[in-house]
Amino acid sequence: MNWRIIPVALLLWLPLPTRGAGDAPLDRATLHGLKAVNIVIDQLDPAIEELGVTADALETRLLARLAAAQIPVDRTASEFIGFRITAVRGNRGPFALSLTIGLYQPVLLSRDHGTRTATQTWEVESILMADPKQVPAASFETADQLADRFAAAYKLANPE
């Protein structure tokens, strides 16, 4: 066996560092001046919908958390909170769930102001494992925590 190949193979296996939106001070600064947000729930995996985790239930919880934090929701706002749950399950084992909340905002390219798009400027994520019976409670509790993290970041960027 060639022992020099193993370190190279290990390096190739490691994930490459990426930098997307997060909750660092620069990411939080993109929330400054935000007047209101819309809410978009990504399409859910039918397997977790069957367990009771629905888009309506998640939206209701997010709306309640934002209202409690006095963050205005405007269904016509171009800035929106995107909420996503990615679920994976082996044969009959627990679910692995990734729950993500992010703020998307319209942006213009600095080199071409005619090019407009929406991009994620702030994000937090939580990953957990749950038995099927615990998926609804774990998902809703985690959604509440993520909404509270958004509210905290919003308040830091927009002190009264």
Side-chain angles (χ1 to χ4, degrees), residues 33-40 59 62-64 66-67 70-82 103-104 106 150 154:
L34 193 60
K35 302 295 181 211
V37 294
N38 198 348
I39 295 176
V40 175
E59 184 174 336
L62 290 174
L63 285 168
L66 295 175
Q70 299 177 332
I71 298 173
V73 174
D74 177 355
R75 294 304 187 171
T76 64
S78 50
E79 296 85 1
F80 65 92
I81 291 174
L103 181 79
Y104 292 78
F150 172 77
Y154 176 91

Side-chain angles (χ1 to χ4, degrees), residues 59-71 140-141 143-148 151:
E59 184 174 336
T60 298
R61 294 182 83 90
L62 290 174
L63 285 168
R65 290 305 236 221
L66 295 175
Q70 299 177 332
I71 298 173
F140 294 139
E141 181 179 322
D144 290 348
Q145 292 169 357
L146 294 175
D148 291 347

Side-chain angles (χ1 to χ4, degrees), residues 56-117:
D56 287 342
L58 288 165
E59 184 174 336
T60 298
R61 294 182 83 90
L62 290 174
L63 285 168
R65 290 305 236 221
L66 295 175
Q70 299 177 332
I71 298 173
V73 174
D74 177 355
R75 294 304 187 171
T76 64
S78 50
E79 296 85 1
F80 65 92
I81 291 174
F83 189 84
R84 177 178 55 249
I85 299 179
T86 305
V88 179
R89 183 180 187 202
N91 290 330
R92 291 186 176 204
F95 279 87
L97 302 169
S98 169
L99 292 86
T100 307
I101 191 170
L103 181 79
Y104 292 78
Q105 300 186 64
V107 295
L108 301 173
L109 293 181
S110 61
R111 70 176 181 280
D112 178 5
H113 287 208
T115 303
R116 249 183 108 103
T117 188

